Amino acid sequence: MGKVTGFKEFERKDETYKPVKERVTNYDEFTQPLNEAEITKQGSRCMDCGIPFCHSGCPLGNLIPDFNHMVHQGEWKKASWILHSTNNFPEFTGRLCPAPCEQACVLGLIDDPISIENIEKNIVERAFKEGWVVPQIPNKRTGKKIAVVGSGPAGLAAAQQLNRAGHTVTVFERDDELGGLLRYGIPNFKLEKGIIDRRIDILEKEGIKFKTNANVGVNYPIEKLKKFNAIVLCGGATQKRGLPIEGADSEGVVQAMDFLTQQTKVVLGKEVKDQVLATDKHVIVIGGGDTGSDCVGTSNRHGAKSVTNFEIMPKPPGHRSPSTPWPYWPLQLKTSSSHKEGCDRNWLINTKEFITNEKGELTALKTVNVEWKMVPGQRPELIELEGTEKTWPCDLALLALGFTGPEAILSDQLGIETDFRSNYKATTVAYQTNIPKIFTAGDMRRGQSLIVWAISEGREAARKVDEYLMGYSNLPTKGNGDLPAM
Ligand SMILES: Cc1cc2nc3c(=O)[nH]c(=O)nc-3n(C[C@H](O)[C@H](O)[C@H](O)COP(=O)(O)OP(=O)(O)OC[C@H]3O[C@@H](n4cnc5c(N)ncnc54)[C@H](O)[C@@H]3O)c2cc1C
Ligand code: SF4
């Protein structure tokens, strides 16, 4: 345990942000770390509960009280060893995870929970700084060749685990750079791309082969893919949802992902023709969630005249609602750092029409207020409220309406069964598709989700692939770290 009285003595402290005025002038990360003495105190707040609910709150089963204790003791190297035993990429989750573990923290019942995510980030950053994150090259190779399609967190985690088991792994990525949505979805100000490159460098040194600009089923033939001993499909779920209303095809109605990807490419020094800019525009972001919030942050950095956000669902309560009691993930209002940079947020609002001028340019949006009729046992019904029609000036509408599922190109060509949501079908027990040597993990299997789930599924699927190839596996299962040699 950290310190018997730690949670009584010390309050929770989180890292701070640079002032809004300063941070919106660039695309850099803007968090300001706590000093080592403060992080040590934060670690000591952990009560080392008999049943640490944080373990089950974390999809990876991270060994949270154990690394908190090590941080309190100043044993940073051991903390890193424990953290890496269950999480391949704590530098991603330590920055971007919504931290369901903290919502399940027992201290959260009576006080602010332990700042687990921030402790995680500090451990991994310290480990990189000290040179403790080194390639783990397997002693023996099995001779089995595995293809991983997709280099998002699921694909990278699966690749690293399978490589550790001694298999020869090739990762195929259709983009020009690796990382999946970490690279071109999530903006730089949330995750600087050097953080991904630093990890890829380790993976390459471990022996994993990467092929970028390799779009399997398009410019990389499926017949060649089939020659691998096993295949793990981690292609994500990035089919964009549209808004099929009048004016939807007008200039100025743009998919959020296109807008975000273009900006990241510009930050990375790549050429982007006709970049969509929010500069001096009235921007309306349709759809909440992470993607919507990232559009708000990017629009403010472009210098938008105004940024407005529409959400069709009701405004969640400011505190945990009775429908999601502790230790569940709470239904509760989330205000991101991007929202705090300037955004007019509106709930229970439905967009009815995009209004354009004679040149076909977007000038306004027409909306109506709505309410949801809930009848037990039936699907919620959306009711439009008469007399609430409103017109909003708008030069740029960003559609952040979520994703309808994975693309069908691989399932069609490989003959993979999909479920009723069009996700690639496999259970969380086997991660195996209807074709025995083909496995699937991450968003492609579960639908658009979270980084932590992608890493978790990549790890679990890797173990199943290893079992399939070898008849047994020494790779760890969830929450049961492999504790690599220090
Ligand atoms: C804008 C945005 C912000 C987000 N912010 C957060 C956040 O703050 N925190 C969080 O936890 N989650 C966030 N998410 C969700 C998170 O990014 C995803 O859940 C996660 O990246 C899924 O990982 P994955 O590996 O399954 O798929 P992806 O990251 O989508 O990676 C799939 C990869 O497969 C490649 N691919 C697909 N088909 C082929 C093919 N045929 N051949 C070769 N390559 C192929 C794709 O190009 C892509 O690189 C966000 C998502 C978006 C869109
Ligand atoms: S990965 Fe996410 S849920 Fe797991 S310990 Fe880290 S912050 Fe918590």
Side-chain angles (χ1 to χ4, degrees):
M1 170 169 192
K3 185 175 189 218
V4 182
T5 52
F7 69 98
K8 288 182 163 179
E9 283 177 48
F10 308 119
E11 285 179 358
R12 173 177 169 129
K13 274 206 182 136
D14 288 298
E15 56 184 9
T16 53
Y17 297 151
K18 285 186 181 158
V20 171
K21 260 192 173 172
E22 187 185 332
R23 69 194 198 224
V24 295
T25 60
N26 59 65
Y27 295 87
D28 300 340
E29 288 185 14
F30 49 79
T31 49
Q32 304 184 116
L34 299 173
N35 62 36
E36 184 176 339
E38 187 55 55
I39 291 289
T40 306
K41 274 189 201 165
Q42 294 300 309
S44 81
R45 292 183 74 233
C46 181
M47 304 189 296
D48 193 15
C49 309
I51 298 175
F53 282 82
C54 54
H55 276 203
S56 41
C58 172
L60 287 158
N62 273 353
L63 306 170
I64 296 161
D66 303 65
F67 65 62
N68 282 339
H69 176 66
M70 288 303 163
V71 166
H72 167 59
Q73 299 287 313
E75 297 273 10
W76 289 87
K77 193 171 184 184
K78 284 188 184 153
S80 166
W81 176 57
I82 293 167
L83 178 57
H84 278 96
S85 73
T86 54
N87 187 351
N88 300 63
F89 314 123
E91 65 275 30
F92 305 151
T93 48
R95 283 175 169 75
L96 297 163
C97 190
C101 56
E102 293 184 15
Q103 298 298 339
C105 171
V106 177
L107 186 55
L109 278 168
I110 52 149
D111 201 345
D112 290 332
I114 310 297
S115 49
I116 300 167
E117 184 184 9
N118 192 233
I119 292 174
E120 182 171 339
K121 178 177 167 188
N122 275 273
I123 295 170
V124 64
E125 287 310 317
R126 175 77 178 256
F128 269 106
K129 198 166 133 216
E130 300 281 356
W132 297 329
V133 183
V134 288
Q136 291 171 38
I137 299 163
N139 294 331
K140 267 201 260 169
R141 290 283 173 189
T142 62
K144 306 280 186 197
K145 293 196 169 96
I146 300 171
V148 174
V149 182
S151 69
L156 294 180
Q160 187 170 46
Q161 293 300 97
L162 287 163
N163 186 66
R164 283 181 181 164
H167 306 304
T168 302
V169 183
T170 307
V171 178
F172 295 91
E173 172 54 58
R174 66 183 169 191
D175 280 337
D176 60 343
E177 301 243 16
L178 303 163
L181 288 175
L182 303 183
R183 175 75 60 179
Y184 285 136
I186 296 170
N188 251 57
F189 55 82
K190 273 169 65 181
L191 177 72
E192 285 179 9
K193 304 311 166 194
I195 303 291
I196 309 172
D197 299 335
R198 181 176 72 173
R199 183 60 78 169
I200 300 280
D201 183 51
I202 301 279
L203 301 183
E204 277 178 332
K205 288 185 176 137
E206 288 178 345
I208 299 170
K209 294 177 196 144
F210 290 100
K211 290 195 188 301
T212 49
N213 296 311
N215 195 349
V216 179
V218 179
N219 65 6
Y220 185 90
I222 285 286
E223 287 316 311
K224 271 174 102 175
L225 187 79
K226 284 183 183 165
K227 293 199 176 121
F228 283 84
N229 297 108
I231 299 162
V232 195
L233 302 177
C234 300
T238 48
Q239 289 264 53
K240 298 159 196 157
R241 181 173 278 123
L243 187 56
I245 56 172
E246 207 179 320
D249 53 0
S250 63
E251 207 181 298
V253 180
V254 176
Q255 275 288 346
M257 274 302 293
D258 297 339
F259 177 70
L260 295 173
T261 303
Q262 285 186 352
Q263 183 52 49
T264 299
K265 288 198 168 172
V266 169
V267 172
L268 295 180
K270 293 172 192 280
E271 197 195 335
V272 174
K273 277 198 187 134
D274 304 323
Q275 186 191 1
V276 176
L277 288 169
T279 319
D280 291 331
K281 290 182 181 161
H282 291 295
V283 178
I284 297 187
V285 180
I286 306 176
D290 283 332
T291 309
S293 157
D294 291 346
C295 287
V296 169
T298 304
S299 298
N300 277 320
R301 278 162 183 73
H302 281 185
K305 215 181 272 174
S306 69
V307 183
T308 304
N309 189 205
F310 291 167
E311 174 60 64
I312 203 166
M313 299 307 289
K315 184 176 180 179
H319 300 285
R320 189 186 274 282
S321 94
S323 65
T324 49
W326 181 92
Y328 291 111
W329 176 250
L331 171 73
Q332 179 178 331
L333 179 66
K334 312 247 157 34
T335 303
S336 71
S337 55
S338 291
H339 292 133
K340 288 181 185 158
E341 289 164 4
C343 174
D344 171 23
R345 299 172 81 186
N346 299 269
W347 286 266
L348 289 171
I349 193 160
N350 193 17
T351 309
K352 298 296 288 178
E353 188 186 336
F354 296 108
I355 301 170
T356 55
N357 61 18
E358 59 289 347
K359 287 192 235 158
E361 294 160 347
L362 184 68
T363 56
L365 293 194
K366 214 182 257 178
T367 63
V368 63
N369 292 354
V370 295
E371 67 179 26
W372 289 90
K373 192 173 157 196
M374 304 295 212
V375 178
Q378 289 179 24
R379 285 170 74 104
E381 190 188 343
L382 184 72
I383 313 242
E384 296 191 347
L385 302 178
E386 246 178 69
T388 60
E389 292 77 11
K390 188 172 167 182
T391 304
W392 306 67
C394 176
D395 319 287
L396 177 63
L398 297 170
L399 306 183
L401 302 159
F403 300 87
T404 56
E407 288 167 29
I409 189 159
L410 293 168
S411 55
D412 284 352
Q413 294 190 45
L414 287 163
I416 307 282
E417 284 173 13
T418 53
D419 66 16
F420 69 101
R421 290 198 176 98
S422 78
N423 297 328
Y424 287 27
K425 202 166 162 184
T427 66
T428 50
V429 178
Y431 291 90
Q432 194 172 29
T433 68
N434 53 307
I435 299 173
K437 77 168 184 176
I438 305 183
F439 295 74
T440 183
D443 283 3
M444 189 162 240
R445 195 204 65 79
R446 62 185 291 120
Q448 190 65 221
S449 180
L450 294 173
I451 295 161
V452 64
W453 273 114
I455 301 173
S456 170
E457 292 216 353
R459 288 172 67 87
E460 298 297 307
R463 186 180 155 96
K464 292 296 162 189
V465 174
D466 192 29
E467 276 174 13
Y468 166 79
L469 292 172
M470 309 304 287
Y472 69 96
S473 179
N474 291 325
L475 289 174
T477 51
K478 181 175 161 174
N480 176 12
D482 47 353
L483 298 178
M486 281 183 70

